Amino acid sequence: MTKKLTWLFLGLGASCLSAPVVASVFQTSLGTNGIDALRLHQAPYNLSGRKIAIGQVEIGRPGMFGWDKAVSKNRAISLAGVFLRNGPAKSNSGVDPHAYNVAGVMVSKDKAWPGVSPQARLYSSAVGSTKNMGQPEECLSAQHVALQNAGDVRAINFSFGEPLNRDPRPEAILDGNALLTMCIDWSSRVHDVVYAIAGNQGKGGIPIPTDNFNAINVAFSSRREGIFNKVDVSNLAGAYQGVSGRLAGKEFNIGGRRAIGLVAPGNNIVTLNPDGKVNKVTGTSFAAPHLTATVALLQEFGDRQLRTKQPNWSINSRHHQVMKAVLLNSAEKVKDSGDGLRLGMTRTIIDKQNQDWLASDAYQDDKIPLDAQMGTGHLNAFRAYQQFSAGQWLPTNPVPALGWDYRTVDMLAPVEYVLAQPLKQGSFVAITLAWDRLVELNDRNKNELYDIGDNFRDRGLNNLDLYLVKADAQNPNAGTVCSSISQIDSVEHIFCPIPTDGNYKIRVQMRQQVNEPNQTYGLAWWTVSKK
């Protein structure tokens, strides 16, 4: 599998032609018609990712000014470090336009075409030619990036993947057990990093590591009437929509577990080439970095809160499970009519069949937390900021309408969050619970690092459930208004209307212990109080 082919699987190819563009086109990716990140760059927020480290792993790497001739006339992208796998990059070697385009979405300082988090510190590792390299080298590269910045990297972008026909396992399928997939889940937990993974796209594509549990897989949207609000036709549809059995387990997770977490802009995204010329690009490759860099904006805000010792704030704000819950819970599904009952959402996102989230099986079936094509909806950086900035609230006291928490649950007792104010009839409530599959490193030389030749042990996924119940319900089986009770996913997500004005509480319950008796989780909620 050549490098060129791998890019084509990400929908690049013909869409990577240089084209004259106008600023208004780009505004729809970072502006209000896209992820609404430009607002966070401005006062009073002043968020640009300062001092926050993020990462990038690809086959090639972006050029670094002063190190690579390819970017000698272009200072738009400033990099904190470039590597070849787990060593220093060689000057003028492995420089790749695709990796540069992806990096630009994240950290471009160009005034006309800024990145989502232009001041973030980006560390980028090139795996090298796919002819001789595979999942072990990709895992090594990811680990090396995760250890940069004194081990404090908040998010890592994967705008590439591995085809199943290169996986050494006999009859390989998407069961979560590919080495790179297990590496991502292990690193998410051990290095406490949000991995943003480009969702698979196109038959025969690059599905590994989209069968992960602990990262966020990103599908890509295209514009209708200037607004990013439709799942692009190039994304793979869900298995339930008539995809042949030939693709089950090859392009989709086995057992019906959903792959996509979020949708982000990815069609005709304006970015910069190494020579400084403007380029239009398309694919999940360019959706994922919107998410990666959004994490940098949120984490800059979180660190500011910690530094100034704000109330209802703690170092738990840095955990990847909290970031995952916040980003998924704040996603946009159905446009608000102006009364706030749909949580102020600014757009209705539709799938490839032009169905909205309210027509999905995820909305109708409490055993399915994520829509196959849309996940929880469309990324909105400003809404994620609103969700995150509400602060951490403990279950020991009544909690406000909007907030998040990081905690541990066990089999002995559910954790309950009583909402301080009654909820309004007809309003929607969004609640997201995220926790990790437990993957451990089989560390042959006991150096606590992944080395070529090491492998991983899957200890499975504890089964957690999520409920919204009437506050006066004493019986655990009574008073449930909405629930998310998947037996196979590492996310539970509730989006449902409130039937009557009244007092409610959120319940997190461990339904089944598979590995350890205590399970940490991130939780985010967004509700509408009755005035």
Side-chain angles (χ1 to χ4, degrees):
M1 183 67 61
T2 67
K3 183 162 59 177
K4 185 178 178 183
L5 281 175
T6 309
W7 296 343
L8 287 172
F9 286 138
L10 280 173
L12 303 176
S15 63
C16 268
L17 299 173
S18 294
V21 290
V22 292
S24 61
V25 174
F26 183 67
Q27 292 296 325
T28 56
S29 171
L30 265 63
T32 52
N33 291 344
I35 66 168
D36 205 7
L38 291 177
R39 190 187 326 192
L40 293 174
H41 294 179
Q42 311 300 320
Y45 313 104
N46 298 317
L47 297 172
S48 58
R50 283 178 202 83
K51 298 184 179 178
I52 301 299
I54 56 177
Q56 175 186 23
V57 180
E58 292 196 43
I59 294 160
R61 63 170 178 85
M64 187 159 79
F65 186 83
W67 188 247
D68 299 300
K69 290 178 183 175
V71 293
S72 60
K73 297 178 181 177
N74 183 6
R75 296 188 180 209
I77 296 176
S78 176
L79 300 169
V82 288
F83 311 100
L84 176 61
R85 294 184 290 282
N86 60 339
K90 297 173 183 174
S91 181
N92 302 312
S93 176
V95 178
D96 171 35
H98 176 264
Y100 195 86
N101 293 154
V102 171
V105 173
M106 295 188 275
V107 297
S108 169
K109 290 185 171 71
D110 188 271
K111 283 189 167 56
W113 315 109
V116 176
S117 56
Q119 299 292 331
R121 297 173 55 81
L122 179 63
Y123 295 88
S124 183
S125 178
V127 177
S129 167
T130 57
K131 191 180 299 182
N132 307 314
M133 303 300 160
Q135 294 181 52
E137 290 80 12
E138 290 157 2
C139 180
L140 203 62
S141 302
Q143 174 183 252
H144 187 67
V145 169
L147 294 172
Q148 297 309 305
N149 202 48
D152 184 16
V153 173
R154 309 293 171 90
I156 295 177
N157 194 79
F158 260 59
S159 282
F160 83 107
E162 274 287 310
L164 271 165
N165 62 16
R166 278 171 45 93
D167 190 279
R169 297 173 297 159
E171 302 296 317
I173 53 173
L174 291 184
D175 56 4
N177 292 327
L179 185 136
L180 182 58
T181 301
M182 293 216 282
C183 174
I184 294 295
D185 282 353
W186 167 77
S187 178
S188 296
R189 178 179 64 85
V190 171
H191 302 123
D192 207 2
V193 170
V194 178
Y195 278 88
I197 310 291
N200 192 18
Q201 172 190 327
K203 297 176 179 63
I206 51 166
I208 298 169
T210 61
D211 54 337
N212 68 76
F213 287 77
N214 302 347
I216 304 176
N217 294 338
V218 188
F220 78 102
S221 60
S222 53
R223 302 171 186 79
R224 290 185 315 156
E225 298 177 357
I227 300 171
F228 282 98
N229 61 7
K230 180 177 172 66
V231 176
D232 192 276
V233 293
S234 301
N235 292 276
L236 274 177
Y240 70 98
Q241 286 166 328
V243 176
S244 70
R246 179 178 60 82
L247 292 177
K250 297 288 188 185
E251 303 291 339
F252 302 102
N253 294 335
I254 61 165
R257 185 169 64 87
R258 296 289 162 86
I260 298 301
L262 281 171
V263 182
N267 182 289
N268 277 343
I269 302 301
V270 178
T271 185
L272 294 174
N273 276 347
D275 61 7
K277 291 181 179 174
V278 171
N279 193 6
K280 272 186 177 180
V281 290
T282 290
T284 50
S285 278
F286 308 102
H290 281 85
L291 176 64
T292 307
T294 295
V295 172
L297 298 180
L298 299 180
Q299 287 295 303
E300 182 191 359
F301 173 79
D303 283 5
R304 184 188 297 169
Q305 297 292 89
L306 288 169
R307 197 166 54 247
T308 54
K309 297 183 168 55
Q310 296 300 311
N312 303 109
W313 209 266
S314 81
I315 202 162
N316 288 331
S317 62
R318 292 180 176 175
H319 287 304
H320 68 279
Q321 302 99 318
V322 169
M323 278 289 90
K324 186 173 179 178
V326 162
L327 288 158
L328 267 56
N329 204 59
S330 57
E332 299 200 89
K333 296 179 178 67
V334 184
K335 187 174 181 177
D336 192 284
S337 58
D339 54 15
L341 297 183
R342 288 177 173 171
L343 311 181
M345 295 180 183
T346 69
R347 84 197 76 189
T348 296
I349 182 165
I350 57 172
D351 66 14
K352 289 162 61 170
Q353 287 72 36
N354 297 319
Q355 301 286 313
D356 69 20
W357 215 89
L358 299 180
S360 71
D361 57 0
Y363 179 65
Q364 295 157 15
D365 187 341
D366 58 5
K367 292 186 177 66
I368 302 175
L370 301 171
D371 178 79
Q373 296 183 45
M374 297 183 279
T376 64
H378 199 284
L379 173 67
N380 184 307
F382 185 74
R383 287 179 57 81
Y385 164 82
Q386 290 178 295
Q387 175 76 74
F388 193 43
S389 63
Q392 181 180 12
W393 297 88
L394 314 186
T396 45
N397 292 303
V399 301
L402 193 63
W404 56 267
D405 191 27
Y406 177 80
R407 199 143 304 277
T408 299
V409 67
D410 58 36
M411 288 290 291
L412 299 177
V415 181
E416 293 188 335
Y417 300 78
V418 178
L419 290 156
Q421 301 295 324
L423 299 186
K424 185 176 177 61
Q425 179 181 356
S427 70
F428 274 77
V429 56
I431 316 169
T432 304
L433 177 70
W435 70 103
D436 284 346
R437 170 170 73 145
L438 181 55
V439 175
E440 294 177 338
L441 174 65
N442 290 324
D443 188 8
R444 293 178 307 165
N445 60 3
K446 307 299 181 191
N447 66 349
E448 298 184 359
L449 293 170
Y450 171 79
D451 300 296
I452 302 288
D454 286 347
N455 56 23
F456 298 94
R457 176 188 175 205
D458 173 18
R459 294 193 53 204
L461 180 73
N462 282 332
N463 184 11
L464 272 55
D465 288 337
L466 181 63
Y467 301 89
L468 181 71
V469 298
K470 292 182 177 175
D472 56 3
Q474 300 302 319
N475 184 333
N477 300 314
T480 298
V481 176
C482 310
S483 62
S484 181
I485 54 172
S486 169
Q487 297 178 344
I488 55 176
D489 294 278
S490 57
V491 167
E492 299 289 4
H493 179 68
I494 286 172
F495 184 69
C496 72
I498 297 298
T500 57
D501 290 350
N503 294 305
Y504 294 86
K505 61 186 177 183
I506 298 162
R507 177 183 294 149
V508 176
Q509 187 158 7
M510 185 187 282
R511 181 64 58 193
Q512 179 187 12
Q513 178 189 336
V514 174
N515 46 66
E516 298 297 325
N518 299 304
Q519 180 63 59
T520 57
Y521 64 82
L523 178 73
W525 62 91
W526 193 319
T527 66
V528 180
S529 299
K530 187 182 179 187
K531 296 291 188 285

